Amino acid sequence: MQSANTKSAGKMVVLGIQHVFAMFGSTVLVPILTGLDPAMALLCAGLGTLIFHLVTGGKVPAFLGSSFAFIAAICTVAADASGNAALGSAEYMEGLRYACGGIIVAGALYLVLAGLVMLFGADKIRSFFPPLVTGAIIIIIGLMLAPTAISNITTATNPATGASEALTGGALWINWLIAAITIGAMFFVSIRGRGFFKLVPILIGIAVGYCAALICQLLGANVFGSPLVDFSKLTTSSWIQLPHFMGPLFSWKAILTIAPLSIVTFVEHVGDMQANGAVVGRDFIKDPGLHRTLLGDGLATMVAGALGGPANTTYSENTGVLAATRNYNPTTLRIAAVFAIIIAFCGKISAFLQTLPAAVMGGISIILFGMIAAVGLRTLVENQVDFKSSRNLMIIAVMM
């Protein structure tokens, strides 16, 4: 019996690590673009996920990560507060503290929204999101993320200019080849795999794509003269690192710039909960309740702002992983959260994950983001939405 339990525990750990691989790129991309600390973003993602599961009674298989919706606002506030100082400068970092204050208020606004949902009832909120609307929202979430997947394959940072530039010629073809091999591996395992292998198509796809990139690199392939798999950070990073804590500062200008975004992400949150429910086959809006999921999201965002991390949100990538693996055990997500926290303090692991070729993550993302859009289509089909109705067509057309 103990041997079986050990095998089961090992299986859960591997599945949890798979979730971390799936969300890692997006979670650290937000701090990279805004100037925040990637290690702190990972710490906040892990802590935020554990807070979310505590508030929701551990019923929702969700992972919280850095929200893309706040990127522009964070950069705007930091630039304004620092007098348009350069990204990464001491003045800019001081300006980011005001952005963190705005993030805390944005999280508090989530708590207000949770109170309103509890007051008026989830059914009242649900009436504004019939299957026609929720299906379209889920499709839109997947389609909005799609350009990120493609840009991982078709663009790269040019070391000579420091800017992201479009790839051409052989480098572009190599990237598409690596992405195609990654996608092919996921397809094969998902369709032909048996037993445990069928549950880890993402890890296998990443491993196969990683090996393909190494082989291409040995044959002389490169991107703007840089290696496809760059081990430089792995050799220079330390085993133990402390995330950069940054105490928040508050100003009305920063708050009014960042906090209203909670209204936008509220709609995204409802869509994510509907998408997760559609994949798992449960109504999370009803149980544990939309007010609890909003409360968990809000508290996680407030903690992130207080520590110096980006705003948290229920991650759409997580929905794609659930659909791809059909593993819906929330314990897996809590294991992923713990692993994210460990990575935040371990420079070597974080650096290794950063060696993952962008083309590999692009191939994985094509599948995951496509899965999200496919779940939206399934929502429309299963609820027999009438596309012969001019009203329905107009609503979906405007949303799209």
Side-chain angles (χ1 to χ4, degrees), residues 148-234:
T148 303
I150 301 301
S151 67
N152 279 333
I153 302 169
T154 60
T155 64
T157 300
N158 188 336
T161 63
S164 180
E165 298 180 13
L167 296 175
T168 58
L172 180 60
W173 283 106
I174 288 296
N175 265 16
W176 272 115
L177 174 63
I178 294 171
I181 291 173
T182 303
I183 293 171
M186 281 192 66
F187 259 96
F188 181 82
V189 174
S190 297
I191 297 171
R192 306 292 296 179
R194 294 290 182 271
F196 179 67
F197 290 104
K198 197 175 182 68
L199 295 176
V200 290
I202 297 170
L203 280 181
I204 294 175
I206 290 174
V208 172
Y210 199 98
C211 291
L214 286 173
I215 292 172
C216 289
Q217 184 167 304
L218 289 174
L219 294 175
N222 63 78
V223 177
F224 294 127
S226 299
L228 296 174
V229 184
D230 187 0
F231 294 106
S232 59
K233 289 185 179 179
L234 183 61

Side-chain angles (χ1 to χ4, degrees), residues 216-300:
C216 289
Q217 184 167 304
L218 289 174
L219 294 175
N222 63 78
V223 177
F224 294 127
S226 299
L228 296 174
V229 184
D230 187 0
F231 294 106
S232 59
K233 289 185 179 179
L234 183 61
T235 57
T236 58
S237 61
S238 58
W239 280 103
I240 303 298
Q241 67 178 14
L242 295 178
H244 177 62
F245 169 75
M246 191 162 48
L249 295 174
F250 297 90
S251 74
W252 281 111
K253 192 172 184 179
I255 290 171
L256 292 176
T257 301
I258 293 178
L261 289 172
S262 293
I263 306 299
V264 178
T265 54
F266 166 75
V267 178
E268 184 184 59
H269 179 91
V270 175
D272 283 338
M273 289 300 101
Q274 294 274 19
N276 272 22
V279 171
V280 177
R282 291 183 55 189
D283 187 356
F284 295 127
I285 302 296
K286 181 177 180 181
D287 181 29
L290 183 59
H291 63 290
R292 286 186 178 275
T293 61
L294 283 168
L295 179 61
D297 211 336
L299 290 174

Side-chain angles (χ1 to χ4, degrees), residues 7 23 43 66 97 127 160 162 174 183 290 294 318 350 357 392:
K7 288 182 179 179
M23 69 82 205
L43 175 61
S66 308
R97 296 178 63 187
S127 66
I174 288 296
I183 293 171
L290 183 59
L294 283 168
N318 172 69
S350 179
N392 290 349

Side-chain angles (χ1 to χ4, degrees), residues 331-377:
T331 303
T332 304
L333 284 304
R334 293 192 282 275
I335 292 172
V338 172
F339 193 62
I341 293 172
I342 293 172
I343 295 174
F345 290 95
C346 184
K348 289 292 185 183
I349 297 178
S350 179
F352 170 73
L353 292 177
Q354 291 181 57
T355 68
L356 294 174
V360 173
M361 298 313 297
I364 295 295
S365 297
I366 285 175
I367 296 289
L368 297 185
F369 301 158
M371 283 283 189
I372 297 169
V375 169
L377 287 172

